[in-house]
Amino acid sequence: MQNRTAYNGGVGPSPEDLDACLTTELASVLSAARRRATRDGDRQVDTAHLLHGLLESDPAVREMVDPEGGKVARLLGYLVQRSIGFGLRWHGTVEDSGAVPMVTEGGSPGWSPAAAAAMDGALDRAHARYAVRAECLDLLAALVDDSECRAVEILRRAAVDTTLLAARLDRQTQEPVADEL
């Protein structure tokens, strides 16, 4: 089982270096999350934006979250409606799940502290399995590891067992990686 406290929560790579650390699919998810945050009028990309991008972009993420089927549509419905539904209470607030101390200076501009910690966690998870680049499932695992983030709140609201999801993700980590160097 993967050590859930291994995430460094540090500053991480610069935005220029980040692209070299991500698969094309994960880079696309981050771009979609940034666009969604801007379109929603949010000052920062949060973990819900990241989850939305993951679910829309990656079939492996959808399969991992919902192996029996039926919950992804509900999840996407919650995410799409966040600007008019229960997510209204988030509008204009900074997501701080407590995963890392609130950053006042030198943090990741445009990212909530929880989203920045999730990105660091995804990179750490990829490095732990000796992969060159973080994948979408690495980011999903990092999101699920933060039980207080908005993404996990949405998963739970859609009746996704996040403990079981974390276990599935940990089992997936044990499989060999065919990552290009």
Side-chain angles (χ1 to χ4, degrees):
M1 180 174 250
Q2 181 180 349
N3 179 357
R4 297 203 171 283
T5 60
Y7 301 156
N8 67 25
V11 175
S14 69
E16 300 82 36
D17 295 335
L18 187 60
D19 285 341
C21 300
L22 308 176
T23 61
T24 304
E25 295 80 11
L26 185 52
S28 176
V29 165
L30 298 187
S31 293
R34 285 185 199 106
R35 284 190 305 274
R36 184 164 289 106
T38 300
R39 190 173 49 242
D40 290 347
D42 294 330
R43 294 178 306 169
Q44 296 181 322
V45 173
D46 66 20
T47 60
H49 294 121
L50 294 173
L51 177 63
H52 198 161
L54 287 169
L55 288 169
E56 283 186 335
S57 301
D58 193 333
V61 166
R62 291 190 296 272
E63 176 64 26
M64 188 65 69
V65 167
D66 189 18
E68 290 88 34
K71 293 179 183 168
V72 170
R74 182 183 308 153
L75 275 166
L76 288 170
Y78 284 143
L79 289 162
V80 167
Q81 295 180 29
R82 80 176 254 175
S83 62
I84 60 172
F86 72 92
L88 274 178
R89 64 188 160 93
W90 297 336
H91 192 70
T93 63
V94 174
E95 177 186 29
D96 179 27
S97 65
V100 294
M102 261 309 255
V103 178
T104 56
E105 288 183 28
S108 300
W111 293 81
S112 74
M119 285 308 304
D120 283 344
L123 295 171
D124 288 348
R125 179 181 158 97
H127 294 147
R129 58 184 175 80
Y130 303 103
V132 175
R133 293 176 181 85
E135 302 174 346
C136 293
L137 288 175
D138 295 321
L139 179 56
L140 178 63
L143 291 172
V144 172
D145 281 349
D146 183 353
S147 63
E148 300 301 316
C149 74
R150 291 175 182 174
V152 169
E153 181 179 342
I154 291 168
L155 287 165
R156 288 183 185 138
R157 193 173 286 253
V160 173
D161 183 337
T162 56
T163 303
L164 185 59
L165 175 57
R168 282 195 302 270
L169 287 160
D170 284 342
R171 280 194 302 275
Q172 179 268 342
T173 301
Q174 305 305 318
E175 297 172 10
V177 173
D179 199 1
E180 54 191 78
L181 296 175

